[in-house]
Amino acid sequence: MQAKLLDVELSIRGILRGYGLKVGEVSRGRFEAPIRELIQGHDMLETVIGPTRRG
């Protein structure tokens, strides 16, 4: 399960990198907030990445 979570996080970082956005170092468990901040205002990124939120 943790390996899949890491895969998702790395995929999100890769998608953002394609848009010139970098996440930087984020402590475990605090990944969602900086991502939400970065994708805010980017309709395409909100559509693609928004639904991947942890629940």
Side-chain angles (χ1 to χ4, degrees), residues 17-31:
R17 194 175 310 117
Y19 284 84
L21 302 171
K22 292 188 179 182
V23 180
E25 281 191 45
V26 179
S27 63
R28 183 62 59 201
R30 303 220 183 264
F31 187 74

Side-chain angles (χ1 to χ4, degrees), residues 20-51:
L21 302 171
K22 292 188 179 182
V23 180
E25 281 191 45
V26 179
S27 63
R28 183 62 59 201
R30 303 220 183 264
F31 187 74
E32 186 176 344
I35 299 303
R36 295 256 169 241
E37 231 176 88
L38 284 173
I39 67 173
Q40 189 173 8
H42 295 273
D43 293 336
M44 179 61 75
L45 292 176
E46 288 177 346
T47 301
V48 172
I49 295 173

Side-chain angles (χ1 to χ4, degrees), residues 1-27:
M1 192 87 150
Q2 285 182 335
K4 290 298 178 189
L5 178 59
L6 182 59
D7 289 345
V8 170
E9 289 181 1
L10 292 175
S11 294
I12 290 172
R13 287 176 182 270
I15 291 167
L16 293 175
R17 194 175 310 117
Y19 284 84
L21 302 171
K22 292 188 179 182
V23 180
E25 281 191 45
V26 179
S27 63

